[in-house]
């Protein structure tokens, strides 16, 4: 049982951390969160969006909205006033994205459900084998 769990965790360690790569032409900036919005999708996925303000390389003050890491039921990991790193398009700075959207945020719930099913099945088969031999 422990070998199975360690094997799965070992395989998951090779999974890419970022769900999508950010365009290399985009600029990095430090943004301050002014407000957080939380929404729950039809399939129970929790999304959190933050209104942020940042200054571009051309010294323009921009206000936009980016998606931030959210945990189901708990909500956003960040709070109002926190500073986060974002990437923006230099041509249209209002188009920005957070670097905090990870693979686990996108697919984590599915991975945990699959892991639970695998571990439960292994335990049930072990208990069944024990009861048959007894």
């Amino acid at each position: 049982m422990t070998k199975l769990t360690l094997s799965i965790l070992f395989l998951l360690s090779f999974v890419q951390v970022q769900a999508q790569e950010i365009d290399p032409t985009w600029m990095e900036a430090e943004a301050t969160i002014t407000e957080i919005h939380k929404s729950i999708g039809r399939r129970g996925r929790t999304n959190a969006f933050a209104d942020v303000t940042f200054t571009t390389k051309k010294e323009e003050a921009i206000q936009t909205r980016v998606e931030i890491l959210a945990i189901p039921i708990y909500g956003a990991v960040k709070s109002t006033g926190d500073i986060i790193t974002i990437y923006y398009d230099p041509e249209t700075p209002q188009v920005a994205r957070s670097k905090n959207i990870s693979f686990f945020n996108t697919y984590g719930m599915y991975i945990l459900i699959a892991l639970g099913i695998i571990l439960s099945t292994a335990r049930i088969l072990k208990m069944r084998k024990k009861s048959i031999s007894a």
Side-chain angles (χ1 to χ4, degrees), residues 5 16-17 22 38 41 46 61 70 80 87 90 102 107 109 124 129:
T5 306
Q16 289 288 336
V17 177
I22 294 173
K38 183 176 106 174
T46 302
T80 304
Y87 294 91
S102 65
Y107 300 105
M109 192 57 66
I124 288 170
K129 186 177 179 181

Side-chain angles (χ1 to χ4, degrees), residues 13 20 25 34 37 40 58 60 77 80 87 111 113 115-116 118 122 128 134:
S13 67
Q20 295 177 349
T25 61
T34 56
H37 308 277
I40 300 175
K58 296 177 184 176
E60 295 177 80
V77 175
T80 304
Y87 294 91
I111 292 170
I113 290 170
L115 189 62
I118 291 168
R128 190 172 186 203

Side-chain angles (χ1 to χ4, degrees), residues 12 15 103-104 107-116:
L12 288 176
V15 175
F103 177 84
F104 187 75
Y107 300 105
M109 192 57 66
Y110 300 114
I111 292 170
L112 291 175
I113 290 170
L115 189 62

Side-chain angles (χ1 to χ4, degrees), residues 25-32 52-64 84 86-97:
T25 61
W26 285 29
M27 306 297 284
E28 183 177 324
E30 297 293 318
T32 305
V52 297
T53 57
F54 67 96
T55 306
T56 65
K57 301 283 184 196
K58 296 177 184 176
E59 300 299 322
E60 295 177 80
I62 304 291
Q63 183 172 4
T64 189
I84 61 171
I86 64 164
Y87 294 91
Y88 67 92
D89 185 357
E91 309 257 332
T92 52
Q94 293 79 10
V95 178
R97 62 177 294 155

